[in-house]
Amino acid sequence: MNSQNKDKKPTNFIRNIINEDLSNGKHNSIKTRFPPEPNGYLHIGHAKSICLNFGTADDYDGYCNLRFDDTNPAKEDIEYVNSIKEDIRWLGFNWNGKVKYSSSYFDIFYKCAEELISKGLAYVCFLSIDQTRDYRGTLKSPGKNSPYRDKSVKDNLILFNKMKEGKFLEGECVLRAKIDMSSSFMCMRDPTLYRIRFETHHQTNDDWCIYPMYDFAHCIGDAIEGVTHSLCTLEFQDNRRIYDWTLENLDEFNVPNRPHQYEFSRLNIEYTTMSKRKLKLLVDNNHVSGWNDPRMPTISGLRRRGYTPESIRDFSDRIGVSKVNSLTDLAILEASVRDNLNTIAPRSMAVINPVKLLIENYPNDKVESLVAPLHPQNEEMGTREIFFSRELFIDKADFIEVPPNNKYKRLAINKEVRLRNSYVIKASHFDTDKDGNVKIIYCTFDPDTLGKNPSDGRKVKGVIHYVECSTAIEAEFRIYDCLFLESNPENFEDLSSLLNPNSLQIKNGFVEFNLSNAKIETAYQFEREGYFCRDNDSENKLVFNKTVGLRDSYK
Ligand code: ATP
Ligand code: MG
């Protein structure tokens, strides 16, 4: 046991179960699996499941398989298979051995279905969808047995084989488990095990026209792979009965150390959705630029936004694992990335809403080179070269003609501020354009204040950032806000009416010269502005995505 990691992590009910299973000898080692269906990109909810499955296996020196739950070819695609593998690796996890596919067990599933039929525990049912619903009954009333329920084993074996041979139409019949039409668990009222789909599968092509249901395939896949703890989300709590029923009725898998399913709460985060179906609608209807749009809660979106694997793993630790579904505060996710970037992001200056500043007492043709630290608390990160001259850009929001009160610490007429990493300046007057917008602010600088306070003892409280004009590099800044106006959009079917029209704002400004070769997806702290990273769609110009602000803005 990797006790170092195990002890570092907060305990949870799953760890308690594992500890017990190891101590009473039920299992000698731990094996988990992460079972994504390749019908969309992974999101931060999946990241919780990934951290739990891979992280738990790691901590107990066990294994975690990656198994694509690819039993529904109509909605699946190889693009998703590839993106899922990439996202898991990027998060920092490695799966055990080769990638597994449920579809590679199709032969075994078929034999298992035959075994159940042979035991009189499954039958081919020709009820229509509507009839099946009527026969199922309701939570208050028991269901009725299907008229096909008592056909002979022999007939059912023949019919099931005909299903496989493509002799029936899609929807004409299904294979059902024969369990209990009056069970208080609706899912136990003869659940479907197999259905007909004439679809080309991304792994098995046209080999099959019948596909097993998740509830049937999943437990067998777990048993084949020797999974010990099959961790899934709470909505499968009732379905655990099918999981157990299936394994207990298959000779090969009804063994004492067979896999067991344990359910934990799904992650939901405010102002976004964790439904792959809804996320796909956002993509398909062009509400976002793609699955990796930086506003998406997908792993690829968060990555493009500037989240790091460390920050997502840390988030997963912070939220923990429980059995109670809840809506997680967005501030927790943001705090995770902010705390991580605060330690690793080099500092830089960017002016997002530029206005020109002219230092009247600075020489006309001089560009001075200055040195600024890359990280104020970490000298080891070194320094960078910045510039100073007569013409600078500052942010519009950092100047006002008359300060509103004496707490105001930025630039105003006849007021001094320090320009970050350089001199103290004082504004004297300004020009406006015909609409009254400030165009140029005229200042003077105090040459005796580079890296030190004014020698006459006067106090300068405010510090603002700037970029020198002749060396500044033009950049586009993409500033993001939540995709939705509603804190819990999961409750709504039509998401488009809840979309935040201001979820993306584009600004054109300037960055320091040394950012001309900024690396993609690498974090910078633009001082006083927030954490940013260069976008991957930034070949011909510099585009920076705002990852997160410097302070919690949701409180
Ligand atoms: P679908 O609606 O298509 O079934 P899904 O979100 O359940 O989508 P899967 O690909 O089946 O997606 O999920 C893979 C694994 O990730 C499952 O074990 C599932 O329980 C887990 N998972 C999915 N969403 C969340 C979430 N929001 N929080 C925690 N775990 C999740
Ligand atoms: Mg699922």
Side-chain angles (χ1 to χ4, degrees):
M1 197 181 299
N2 191 340
S3 54
Q4 220 183 340
N5 264 339
K6 203 189 113 261
D7 297 341
K8 218 169 51 192
K9 295 261 180 88
T11 192
N12 58 47
F13 75 96
I14 289 169
R15 282 161 186 273
N16 295 342
I17 292 168
I18 292 177
N19 290 338
E20 202 175 311
D21 288 348
L22 288 172
S23 71
N24 68 20
K26 180 171 171 193
H27 298 292
N28 300 318
S29 62
I30 292 308
K31 198 169 199 179
T32 58
R33 87 290 166 262
F34 175 65
E37 184 177 354
N39 61 355
Y41 280 61
L42 297 182
H43 53 58
I44 182 83
H46 294 113
K48 170 178 177 177
S49 177
I50 291 170
C51 291
L52 177 64
N53 278 294
F54 285 92
T56 308
D58 275 352
D59 293 347
Y60 286 89
D61 271 348
Y63 295 105
C64 179
N65 286 353
L66 169 60
R67 184 196 323 142
F68 284 100
D69 167 31
D70 55 345
T71 52
N72 187 7
K75 293 196 170 151
E76 296 166 8
D77 199 285
I78 194 75
E79 177 196 348
Y80 301 135
V81 170
N82 292 331
S83 73
I84 290 170
K85 290 196 279 192
E86 185 181 335
D87 287 347
I88 296 173
R89 282 203 208 93
W90 178 78
L91 277 174
F93 295 106
N94 291 306
W95 47 87
N96 165 47
K98 281 193 184 157
V99 175
K100 314 283 192 289
Y101 294 88
S102 287
S103 56
S104 62
Y105 310 137
F106 280 170
D107 283 319
I108 304 178
F109 298 152
Y110 185 79
K111 290 206 181 76
C112 290
E114 284 187 325
E115 182 180 340
L116 294 180
I117 297 171
S118 303
K119 290 175 171 166
L121 293 174
Y123 62 99
V124 176
C125 182
F126 289 83
L127 288 180
S128 68
I129 294 180
D130 288 342
Q131 288 171 318
T132 306
R133 194 189 316 108
D134 290 343
Y135 274 74
R136 183 168 294 126
T138 65
L139 279 173
K140 290 192 183 118
S141 60
K144 277 191 307 194
N145 285 351
S146 158
Y148 303 95
R149 206 175 197 261
D150 295 318
K151 272 206 157 27
S152 70
V153 165
K154 191 171 152 228
D155 284 354
N156 276 310
L157 285 171
I158 292 168
L159 289 170
F160 185 50
N161 186 257
K162 281 176 86 175
M163 274 176 71
K164 172 178 172 247
E165 294 303 319
K167 300 283 163 47
F168 297 118
L169 301 173
E170 242 180 72
E172 197 176 348
C173 56
V174 294
L175 183 75
R176 294 175 73 176
K178 195 192 281 188
I179 307 180
D180 179 4
M181 289 306 292
S182 59
S183 170
S184 54
F185 296 98
M186 295 298 283
C187 66
M188 295 299 272
R189 297 187 183 176
D190 291 9
T192 301
L193 303 180
Y194 260 97
R195 61 211 186 316
I196 300 169
R197 286 278 182 280
F198 290 97
E199 292 276 353
T200 300
H201 188 285
H202 51 99
Q203 304 296 320
T204 58
N205 301 313
D206 295 316
D207 292 354
W208 294 86
C209 66
I210 54 170
Y211 290 95
M213 302 301 289
Y214 172 89
D215 283 331
F216 178 65
H218 199 75
C219 52
I220 302 176
D222 285 346
I224 294 169
E225 293 175 7
V227 166
T228 54
H229 298 79
S230 183
L231 313 177
C232 68
T233 39
L234 280 175
E235 66 276 17
F236 291 98
Q237 207 155 13
D238 286 355
N239 303 54
R240 187 193 332 121
R241 287 163 181 86
I242 312 182
Y243 189 105
D244 292 339
W245 180 92
T246 304
L247 294 185
E248 281 161 10
N249 284 300
L250 293 168
D251 294 345
E252 188 185 342
F253 301 125
N254 187 21
V255 291
N257 62 351
R258 72 165 175 82
H260 280 264
Q261 175 184 306
Y262 301 95
E263 308 87 18
F264 63 94
S265 57
R266 275 181 96 78
L267 171 67
N268 289 302
I269 303 185
E270 291 176 318
Y271 301 102
T272 189
T273 175
M274 295 290 133
S275 156
K276 271 193 277 186
R277 190 176 56 80
K278 289 177 181 171
L279 291 173
K280 185 167 188 308
L281 279 177
L282 294 177
V283 174
D284 291 347
N285 296 332
N286 297 314
H287 292 306
V288 293
S289 64
W291 285 96
N292 70 345
D293 186 299
R295 290 166 291 179
M296 291 282 271
T298 51
I299 299 188
S300 50
L302 290 165
R303 170 178 179 178
R304 187 167 165 196
R305 174 90 171 245
Y307 277 70
T308 55
E310 294 76 17
S311 63
I312 295 177
R313 295 197 305 259
D314 173 58
F315 170 68
S316 159
D317 285 344
R318 290 187 194 201
I319 54 173
V321 181
S322 81
K323 274 201 162 287
V324 187
N325 279 326
S326 63
L327 193 58
T328 296
D329 198 336
L330 182 55
I332 302 179
L333 179 64
E334 296 203 340
S336 296
V337 73
R338 191 182 292 116
D339 290 354
N340 178 231
L341 298 184
N342 182 35
T343 60
I344 62 171
R347 273 43 175 172
S348 188
M349 293 195 284
V351 175
I352 294 176
N353 301 291
V355 61
K356 221 174 210 180
L357 196 137
L358 205 131
I359 316 263
E360 290 181 293
N361 62 338
Y362 196 87
N364 230 329
D365 46 6
K366 183 173 169 186
V367 179
E368 192 175 344
S369 161
L370 303 173
V371 175
L374 280 170
H375 196 297
Q377 283 94 45
N378 183 356
E379 255 177 52
E380 278 174 20
M381 278 177 76
T383 58
R384 67 193 204 264
E385 182 181 31
I386 59 169
F387 300 97
F388 193 86
S389 79
R390 188 179 163 87
E391 290 187 27
L392 313 174
F393 292 116
I394 64 163
D395 201 281
K396 280 181 187 145
D398 284 337
F399 172 73
I400 197 164
E401 184 179 1
V402 183
N405 53 46
N406 53 16
K407 283 196 194 121
Y408 183 84
K409 289 215 192 88
R410 290 171 272 171
L411 188 64
I413 297 301
N414 286 324
K415 199 173 166 313
E416 281 189 310
V417 291
R418 173 172 293 282
L419 291 173
R420 183 90 176 134
N421 301 307
S422 48
Y423 301 94
V424 169
I425 58 164
K426 181 176 186 173
S428 54
H429 59 289
F430 62 98
D431 286 347
T432 54
D433 64 15
K434 61 181 184 336
D435 300 321
N437 300 311
V438 177
K439 230 174 68 188
I440 301 183
I441 305 159
Y442 297 89
C443 300
T444 53
F445 86 120
D446 180 345
D448 198 29
T449 52
L450 183 62
K452 58 180 185 185
N453 290 326
S455 43
D456 61 8
R458 63 187 205 279
K459 292 267 181 289
V460 179
K461 283 207 187 108
V463 180
I464 64 173
H465 61 282
Y466 77 97
V467 175
E468 193 277 322
C469 286
S470 70
T471 52
I473 313 273
E474 280 183 42
E476 175 180 312
F477 300 93
R478 298 185 184 161
I479 316 283
Y480 301 102
D481 196 356
C482 303
L483 260 179
F484 296 103
L485 298 166
E486 196 64 46
S487 71
N488 192 0
E490 302 286 5
N491 293 339
F492 299 83
E493 207 27 53
D494 174 25
L495 289 187
S496 59
S497 64
L498 309 174
L499 284 169
N500 174 3
N502 300 317
S503 60
L504 168 62
Q505 281 185 59
I506 295 181
K507 308 265 183 175
N508 289 295
F510 298 93
V511 292
E512 287 179 15
F513 180 74
N514 61 56
L515 283 187
S516 52
N517 53 9
K519 278 203 246 103
I520 283 162
E521 286 172 12
T522 301
Y524 294 91
Q525 187 198 92
F526 291 157
E527 294 187 77
R528 301 182 61 242
E529 291 289 357
Y531 296 96
F532 286 77
C533 74
R534 185 172 177 181
D535 191 72
N536 56 20
D537 155 35
S538 119
E539 236 164 61
N540 301 315
K541 59 176 174 182
L542 277 175
V543 176
F544 287 95
N545 292 320
K546 184 168 179 180
T547 312
V548 68
L550 295 174
R551 275 171 296 275
D552 182 358
S553 51
Y554 294 95
K555 281 276 158 308

